[in-house]
Amino acid sequence: MKVYDAPSIRNVSFVGHSGSGKTQLASTILFDAEMVNRLGQVDDGTTVTDFDEEAIARKHTLSASLAHAEWNKHKINIIDTPGMANFLSEAQAALQISDAAVIVVDAVAGVEVQTEKVWNTAHEFSLPRLLILNRLDRERASLERALGSLQDVFGRMVVPVQLPLGEEKSFQGVIDLVSMQELVFESDGSGKFSAQEIQSESTEKANAAREILIEAIAETDDTLMEKFFETGTLTQEELNEGLKTATRAGLVFPLFCTSATLNIGIQPVLESILTYLPSPADRPFSGVDRSSNEAVMCEAKDSDPYAAFVWKTIADPFAGKITMFRAVSGSLKSDTTIHNLTKDDSERLGQLMILQGKTQANVTEIKAGDLGAVAKLKNTHTGDTFGDKANTVAFAPFKYAETVLSYAVEPKSRGDEEKISTALQRLTEEDPTIQYHRDEKTNELLLSGQGQLHIEVTVAKLKRRFGVEVNLNLPRIPYRETISTHTEAHGRHKKQSGGHGQFGDCKIRVEPLERGAEFEFANEIFGGSIPRQFIPAVEKGVNEARMKGFLAGYPVVDFKVTVFDGSFHAVDSNELSFKMAGRLAFKDAMTRAKPTILEPIMNVEIYAPNEFAGDLMGDLNSRRGRIGGMEPRGAMTSIKAQVPMAEMLTYEQQLTSATGGRGSYHMEFLQYEEVPSHLQGKIIAASKGEGSAESEDED
């Protein structure tokens, strides 16, 4: 395997909305570059980058994967990314370690919601962008309509550098506006084409489109603008160089025309990636000086001390953990010791690899700017920096989206209980947008992710890779109970059964506390009416009783208990007796303290196209939500609200249905509030139903 240096490398992420044809485009590029001997098809499950069983079964990319094409003595590293909302973070993280983005757009649908999101991420990283108008062979495909949507959303500097030769079933090639030639492709899917003069019927349209391209390029440079005003055009050389400079500077976004399925227009895209997009040598990588905490730019120089950034981890049940990294500077070699600067820990770097989907090719060295991988690093994880121990530069990990939906998971067989945590730990290393934890309040194991599909895919991976099968249940709402007024209560435990008996007697005062105060216990016993050593037993009895609840079995919180009087027996009193007395006193108090039920309230932010804002706010109101504000953001609207958790468990499905998959949301816990009185009866009845079912199971 040839080792490439930075000027000969292009690192590009293929991003766009689901179904735009990114994976097929990558597959066809690999075929045309003779990296594979047959053209893989998404529908057949034979593409290089969709190798995961779950991705093949669903015919959708679910995780970013790496491949490379060698073309004209250059290496193009292609990161094929998911286009579905649940897996958006995979695409965004890939953009962080790329030098450019290839944004793939469906010629029928035009700009879709995920197209906007990946565009915005590429803009945040200041990445140059090429746009591919793909699937021009489909019915209702239209350059004019798709270009209109692109320019409406991203501005008029999205400029075609090609026009399609025919559309829909008649699509057979492209008119290149830079060289002013027709490129007619063979119909056998080989990708071969012939260049010829533009036919007379297309000349007028091609000349007009070329003038728009020249004018856009001239606008990006004062010297070119002066020349354009003087002569009314640019020379071929000025056009070529101006387009290259403007594209790399992110001032112009050239649009290409393709059908990846029919292998039309792909080879010109390969040439354009080399011509118009920067190499790692052209774009220093952003880092942070650990000593000063200041931003620094690291150049891709082989002569500098080595430094690499881990951008992804794969949990392979057979090969073990595979760590994927970008070599930022210096040169890494196999079988050396590396230093993890993030964890200040050293470990052995084994055999270096170049990935072609799931296929691994061993290499002895990976130079600055290239993307590589290594297996079986123990302590290095996604987001870590490893490099020379003396190196002071580290790279900031990508900030993944927080989880939006949780399900309770339980093993189908008891033998899998211990295996679940191990398997989930492996999967969270691969996908940082997955989280799992044991809820202390409900004792459920909660699996959290970006949406229902995300969680279903994770469960499928548990079964396929690790042989662990689980059931998914909506999580229990962690309701709480509290009191509304203060009162006094008495608890006496007396039992005589021959020999020593049991005697404990206490009087307590209960009073409400502010939200979030949980529980307080105070001792106001004077004169020894209860011996000092039995006071903790009273507290323990109250605590145990409050955790079991009074109305519906949920913990009682936000109140204070003060023990102020009682009595004891010199022989029969002990800790157990006073613990029982504390329990009885608590139950007595709850009969008069006006207990009520509290529910968790979530801060919710919804992001959706403007036309859905009214309906979404109406839906939130029907979920007992309080609208906190609405903020337009271009074609999108952000809605903030406070909504009970109980009303949000199935919200993702509703949002997806209402917005056609174009909306997303995030929520986090805010506070506990009292449940409306008309709903408390339902919660109490449901808890009693659960209690009777549990009793039957125990019987």
Side-chain angles (χ1 to χ4, degrees), residues 64-250:
S65 59
L66 179 63
H68 64 276
E70 294 174 312
W71 188 258
N72 284 352
K73 299 181 180 180
H74 287 71
K75 180 186 181 189
I76 302 173
N77 285 319
I78 298 167
I79 306 175
D80 181 26
T81 68
M84 290 189 287
N86 280 197
F87 307 95
L88 178 65
S89 286
E90 286 273 333
Q92 294 172 322
L95 287 169
Q96 183 185 18
I97 56 101
S98 299
D99 297 307
V102 172
I103 296 179
V104 186
V105 180
D106 184 275
V108 177
V111 175
E112 298 173 87
V113 63
Q114 303 309 319
T115 322
E116 294 181 58
K117 290 180 180 179
V118 293
W119 177 281
N120 292 338
T121 303
H123 178 74
E124 289 173 17
F125 290 135
S126 302
L127 293 180
R129 277 146 274 173
L130 296 185
L131 292 107
I132 308 292
L133 190 60
N134 191 34
R135 310 183 84 182
L136 273 159
D137 59 302
R138 294 179 65 209
E139 187 177 344
R140 295 182 57 249
S142 167
L143 168 65
E144 184 179 355
R145 188 172 59 249
L147 178 62
S149 73
L150 284 164
Q151 292 182 335
D152 283 346
V153 178
F154 304 137
R156 63 185 185 86
M157 284 312 201
V158 174
V159 185
V161 294
Q162 294 176 343
L163 299 179
L165 271 176
E167 287 180 346
E168 300 183 348
K169 290 182 180 180
S170 63
F171 180 56
Q172 58 180 326
V174 298
I175 299 172
D176 189 305
L177 300 177
V178 178
S179 67
M180 288 301 281
Q181 290 181 311
E182 283 186 356
L183 308 181
V184 181
F185 284 75
E186 296 185 10
S187 59
D188 59 0
S190 65
K192 296 177 181 178
F193 63 93
S194 58
Q196 60 188 36
E197 290 186 7
I198 298 174
Q199 302 300 302
S200 58
E201 64 268 19
S202 303
T203 303
E204 184 179 345
K205 186 166 63 173
N207 285 336
R210 180 180 165 94
E211 285 302 309
I212 293 171
L213 173 62
I214 288 173
E215 187 173 344
I217 292 168
E219 282 186 38
T220 65
D221 182 272
D222 290 342
T223 303
L224 292 179
M225 181 60 82
E226 286 182 21
K227 177 71 181 297
F228 180 75
F229 280 139
E230 287 176 8
T231 64
T233 189
L234 298 177
T235 66
Q236 187 66 43
E237 184 180 349
E238 288 167 341
L239 172 58
N240 291 341
E241 197 59 34
L243 179 57
K244 174 181 174 180
T245 302
T247 302
R248 292 189 176 188

Side-chain angles (χ1 to χ4, degrees), residues 562-576:
T562 304
V563 58
F564 65 90
D565 199 3
S567 60
F568 72 103
H569 188 279
V571 176
D572 292 345
S573 289
N574 52 33
E575 288 187 6
L576 177 61

